[in-house]
Amino acid sequence: MPAPRRFAPSLFSIALALTVPCLLFAQPDADFTSELPAVQTIRLENGVRVVLLPPPPGSDLAGWTDVAFGYTFGVRDEVGYPSGTARVVARHFSVSPSARAVAIIAHLSGGSFEFVEEPDRVGMRVRVPTPLLPGLMAEVRKYFRLSSVIAPLNYAHDLIREEAPDVAGYRAEIEREIRSALLGERPYVGSVLDRTAVDRIEYSDLTRFIADHIFSNRMYVIVSGPMPDEAEESLARIRSRITRDAYTPTSLPEDQETRLEFPSEAEGGVVVATALDSVHYESWFMTLVLDRLFGYVLGADAILELDPYLDTFFHRIEIPVGVPESPEGVRDRLLELLDQLRYRPPSPSRLQTLKQEALSYLLERKTLEWFAAHDLWTALKDGWGAIFHMTADDLRLAADGFASARRVIGIWRPVLDASAVTVESLDACPFELQPTVLFDHLPRRISIPLFAPTSMPDPEPVRVEPLPSGVTLAQGPKNALFVAGRFDGDFGGLVASGPNGSLWTFSGVPPPTVWEGIAGLRPDRILVFGPPEQLTALRERLRGRASDTMDSTPSLPAGEVATGDISSLLILKMWLDARLIEAGGWSAVRVEVDATKGSRLSVDAEPERARQVRSWIDEIINDGMDETEFERVRAAALGYFERIRRDLAILLWQRDPGGAITPPSAVSLARFLEMVRYYYREER
């Protein structure tokens, strides 16, 4: 889902007053020459599809291979079953022994893994060193042979029940009613669950769903490099079980426009939901460009939703409304602005930027895998070409079609809410616990698969660059801004906040409002990230920034782990993650090193599982660790070191901006055990 982009109604009024020209034309030219990767699809006799999908141009995957695999089933197949059945079955596959074995291989080799649980796709996405691909594929074949084992099914049911709220909140009810009015009785409409709904799912429902929807021609394997011959032969031996059943959309409501009003809530809002053609049609890809245009016109606080892996028939715009704004006024201005786009095409430079953003989205690995998994590569190629050759008139016609499409408009009013006072302890320890719910069923632990260790070059140490102005600069893959301490402003983009500060990440060059917004902050609270090619320009922009002594906001770093112990902390995190994967607790417990929370290891789990994590740490304190096991986990931490380089830069900047954080390869077993015993002994 696109990151929420918060929108202030006052800015919306300005955007409307200035209308489209001022917002659309003042942008530099942008060239985009990338092409879709050339794929090769191998259809085995049993129906399994193997897709060779090379990485996009410019990707650096030397020595690594990306693998995505799973099934194309989900909520669309839920007709005749209790709501939530597909979600429980999807989680069943995620906690299966074979899925955990795949995760362990990726994790301990320094790679990465992700469980995929989408409305119409379930599986995994992993990155492993290329030499480990044959061993990984052996576990993938076991994944496809998984039967309805009782323990994972019951455990998956517990997990989904724990994630569901006690009762569906007002936002869930709003979404359900809007989707029902727009899409009729199609699946996806009732996919919002509460615990009562999950409790209605019987074990027999789950086994019947697996029997009815697990077919060999719904299996897919997508790899970024050559498939080993033995792996392809192994997949070909999977028993053939073919289905020709296809999802047939039900009839849609005939009303061209439906207006709904919901009960008032603490924060009001306006939603415009529009029905779309599916991704089989070029019009969907035109709407993808139009969606990017909406983002520029509506401002930083509009929340836009258009993703094929959520729903290909649905586009959504939401505008938050606060007291004393009128939702009717915001709604009318929004509709007027959308209508004006039919007559005001963007400038050539803005159009090129919009097309570049849309094509960049289609080039993301996650998006490419979705189209490949659903055998929609031809539709993607046609849509890519339509966007690449799109003219201003094409975009105007797309806006005209969007404005005349069937839509549902919902509003709810804001009400005054009493202020709430919260108290935050300043005595934070490096081990944070957040309670949730206890589970009754636990799957059996798995044995760690044996595989040859891989060697990786040491990453460069993490460093930051203090500037004469007091602001600090650091290299990162994307433009980002970190403000230490409490800050109530908003710079747009994707924001993550915690007791240590707030981090904003931007999809492109930060807008001028970012630099204006930090003008009132002390320079020592500001850390700016930029890609290598932008560092010179950022250095010049920030070099002469004047210091503002009026800002007295405290910005003491949270957490107590010293900079020199951070690499050891990463090894501990990776060891705990491995234990969680083995025990089937990965989705129920989150262990992380997050710069917005400070220099500590945070554990988000229900109390009993958090105590289990604590007992594992006690094992290290009391019994130590085998040298071989330590070396495997340290290798895993090397890959993690690169993935959280930005968080490490923040922690370094707050404590030792002139120093460096070295890779975990420099940490010895003795040093690691010393760190664990120092920070995690009970008597401290």
Side-chain angles (χ1 to χ4, degrees):
M1 178 181 292
R5 289 169 280 174
R6 306 299 298 168
F7 165 84
S10 58
L11 294 179
F12 178 55
S13 302
I14 294 173
L16 180 59
L18 297 176
T19 48
V20 182
C22 294
L23 291 173
L24 299 189
F25 300 161
Q27 295 291 331
D29 290 337
D31 295 325
F32 196 81
T33 57
S34 297
E35 298 179 354
L36 278 175
V39 304
Q40 178 185 357
T41 300
I42 304 171
R43 301 177 187 276
L44 305 179
E45 291 186 4
N46 56 7
V48 178
R49 287 185 302 110
V50 178
V51 182
L52 306 183
L53 174 61
S59 299
D60 184 13
L61 275 182
W64 297 88
T65 298
D66 284 337
V67 182
F69 61 91
Y71 298 90
T72 54
F73 74 79
V75 182
R76 292 190 196 278
D77 302 299
E78 218 171 52
V79 176
Y81 297 88
S83 293
T85 301
R87 290 180 61 183
V88 175
V89 172
R91 186 61 54 87
H92 162 67
F93 279 93
S94 297
V95 298
S96 67
S98 51
R100 285 181 277 152
V102 169
I104 280 286
I105 292 175
H107 180 73
L108 291 181
S109 65
S112 59
F113 68 93
E114 178 184 357
F115 295 108
V116 176
E117 296 180 16
E118 295 172 355
D120 54 7
R121 186 164 65 119
V122 57
M124 291 186 69
R125 179 183 297 112
V126 300
R127 174 172 292 179
V128 295
T130 301
L132 298 186
L133 186 58
L136 181 87
M137 293 307 302
E139 298 296 336
V140 170
R141 184 173 185 271
K142 295 178 184 178
Y143 177 93
F144 287 132
R145 296 177 60 187
L146 178 67
S147 61
S148 54
V149 182
I150 292 177
L153 275 173
N154 286 333
Y155 182 56
H157 187 275
D158 284 346
L159 290 171
I160 297 301
R161 186 181 185 279
E162 187 275 333
E163 293 173 5
D166 291 328
V167 294
Y170 81 96
R171 295 304 302 269
E173 296 298 337
I174 287 174
E175 289 302 306
R176 181 181 289 126
E177 191 165 342
I178 287 175
R179 284 178 174 265
S180 180
L182 184 69
L183 302 175
E185 295 306 315
R186 292 188 184 202
Y188 291 14
V189 170
S191 59
V192 178
L193 298 177
D194 55 35
R195 289 185 181 172
T196 301
V198 178
D199 286 340
R200 287 195 290 266
I201 303 173
E202 301 289 344
Y203 179 76
S204 58
D205 296 321
L206 302 174
T207 55
R208 183 165 56 93
F209 187 94
I210 291 175
D212 290 347
H213 298 292
I214 302 304
F215 298 96
S216 56
N217 64 328
R218 284 192 165 190
M219 301 175 184
Y220 67 89
V221 179
I222 305 171
V223 293
S224 62
M227 172 72 81
D229 291 339
E230 61 270 27
E232 184 176 325
E233 294 171 0
S234 176
L235 293 173
R237 290 195 297 270
I238 294 176
R239 183 171 65 91
S240 177
R241 190 163 179 262
I242 307 296
T243 176
R244 292 178 174 81
D245 297 336
Y247 166 69
T248 303
T250 58
S251 59
L252 298 174
E254 296 182 358
D255 295 337
Q256 191 66 16
E257 180 176 288
T258 302
R259 298 202 175 196
L260 304 173
E261 184 169 347
F262 302 97
S264 300
E265 297 294 338
E267 182 183 64
V270 174
V271 168
V272 176
T274 305
L276 304 178
D277 294 326
S278 77
V279 293
H280 293 85
Y281 300 94
E282 291 184 0
S283 59
W284 187 92
F285 295 89
M286 298 295 187
T287 305
L288 184 65
V289 180
L290 200 60
D291 176 77
R292 272 56 187 170
L293 177 60
F294 295 158
Y296 282 100
V297 174
L298 299 181
D301 218 17
I303 302 172
L304 304 175
E305 179 184 313
L306 175 63
D307 275 298
Y309 27 84
L310 292 178
D311 194 332
T312 62
F313 304 99
F314 189 80
H315 183 278
R316 183 181 184 280
I317 303 172
E318 179 178 340
I319 307 293
V321 179
V323 176
E325 285 287 323
S326 161
E328 291 88 354
V330 173
R331 175 196 63 198
D332 294 342
R333 294 196 297 271
L334 172 61
L335 295 177
E336 181 181 347
L337 185 54
L338 294 179
D339 187 67
Q340 286 188 11
L341 296 178
R342 304 161 65 183
Y343 310 106
R344 295 179 179 271
S347 69
S349 60
R350 169 56 72 192
L351 176 62
Q352 188 73 356
T353 300
L354 297 173
K355 291 165 57 175
Q356 177 177 343
E357 291 183 1
L359 294 175
S360 296
Y361 170 80
L362 294 178
L363 268 183
E364 292 178 4
R365 186 77 186 181
K366 181 178 180 180
T367 308
L368 295 174
E369 287 174 356
W370 186 90
F371 280 93
H374 290 281
D375 202 15
L376 291 171
W377 202 259
T378 299
L380 176 61
K381 288 180 63 177
D382 292 343
W384 175 280
I387 293 176
F388 195 88
H389 298 291
M390 189 179 198
T391 66
D393 282 342
D394 293 332
L395 186 59
R396 184 184 59 78
L397 290 174
D400 184 70
F402 186 88
S404 59
R406 188 179 68 263
R407 62 190 179 191
V408 173
I409 303 167
I411 64 171
W412 58 99
R413 303 175 185 281
V415 295
L416 289 173
D417 195 17
S419 298
V421 178
T422 60
V423 178
E424 182 177 334
S425 172
L426 298 180
D427 299 323
C429 70
F431 194 85
E432 295 182 339
L433 306 181
Q434 300 181 17
T436 51
V437 176
L438 182 64
F439 306 106
D440 295 325
H441 306 96
L442 294 174
R444 290 181 299 175
R445 289 183 59 182
I446 63 168
S447 300
I448 298 178
L450 296 177
F451 56 89
T454 56
S455 60
M456 293 180 291
D458 278 354
E460 291 293 324
V462 173
R463 292 186 173 88
V464 297
E465 178 185 355
L467 299 177
S469 63
V471 176
T472 303
L473 185 63
Q475 180 176 316
K478 292 184 178 181
N479 291 100
L481 168 69
F482 181 80
V483 177
R486 178 168 179 170
F487 181 67
D488 297 326
D490 188 5
F491 298 116
L494 178 64
V495 61
S497 298
N500 200 40
S502 299
L503 175 67
W504 284 266
T505 305
F506 307 97
S507 58
V509 177
T513 52
V514 171
W515 314 118
E516 297 167 4
I518 65 174
L521 300 176
R522 290 197 321 274
D524 64 283
R525 295 181 61 198
I526 303 171
L527 175 61
V528 177
F529 292 90
E533 65 274 11
Q534 296 182 21
L535 290 181
T536 301
L538 287 171
R539 197 175 289 116
E540 290 301 316
R541 174 184 285 276
L542 299 169
R543 187 185 303 278
R545 184 187 182 282
S547 176
D548 191 333
T549 58
M550 299 298 292
D551 177 14
S552 59
T553 303
S555 58
L556 295 175
E560 61 179 39
V561 178
T563 302
D565 292 324
I566 293 293
S567 289
S568 296
L569 192 70
L570 302 186
I571 297 175
L572 176 61
K573 179 254 192 303
M574 301 306 278
W575 184 80
L576 291 173
D577 283 347
R579 294 294 297 267
L580 287 168
I581 296 168
E582 292 174 59
W586 176 260
S587 62
V589 182
R590 184 175 182 84
V591 181
E592 60 183 354
V593 177
D594 183 344
T596 65
K597 298 179 180 179
S599 182
R600 58 165 63 100
L601 193 67
S602 64
V603 178
D604 183 358
E606 50 83 22
E608 186 64 27
R609 286 178 179 262
R611 282 191 286 270
Q612 177 66 66
V613 173
R614 173 72 235 194
S615 72
W616 290 340
I617 296 179
D618 289 340
E619 288 180 20
I620 297 178
I621 293 174
N622 298 324
D623 304 328
M625 182 183 294
D626 178 78
E627 184 75 40
T628 301
E629 182 178 10
F630 172 74
E631 290 177 357
R632 296 178 73 178
V633 180
R634 184 175 59 184
L638 280 173
Y640 186 63
F641 183 88
E642 279 293 279
R643 295 195 295 274
I644 64 163
R645 179 175 285 271
R646 185 169 57 193
D647 290 82
L648 298 178
I650 293 171
L651 300 179
L652 173 69
W653 163 66
Q654 289 187 304
R655 294 172 178 271
D656 185 17
I661 296 180
T662 56
S665 55
V667 179
S668 66
L669 175 58
R671 174 68 172 170
F672 168 72
L673 295 175
E674 180 183 356
M675 183 280 298
V676 176
R677 289 164 179 157
Y678 177 79
Y679 290 104
Y680 294 98
R681 279 196 184 277
E682 291 286 1
E683 56 266 24
R684 282 195 80 241

